[in-house]
Amino acid sequence: MVRPLRLALLYGHLIARGTRLYHPGGSQPVCSLSFAKQMVEAGLLCANGESFELTQEGRSFAG
């Protein structure tokens, strides 16, 4: 769970493409979209269309 959060912290956000999340410009998936939705429900990520950004709680968890 920490890897996607750290990549979101590094790149500013993650991008949904199909059923996976990628960092901007990345070709290797970071995690599945269903896992990202679980992190949204847990309050670690915030979904904004196709973009997923860290919440304050996610920032403290990733740091």
Side-chain angles (χ1 to χ4, degrees), residues 7-44:
L7 287 173
L9 182 63
L10 177 65
Y11 291 101
H13 65 283
L14 299 174
I15 301 168
R17 281 189 251 147
T19 61
R20 304 266 187 227
L21 250 61
Y22 298 82
H23 64 76
S27 60
Q28 296 293 321
V30 173
C31 67
S32 69
L33 188 57
S34 62
F35 186 64
K37 289 181 180 179
Q38 289 176 356
M39 287 191 284
V40 168
E41 291 173 5
L44 301 174

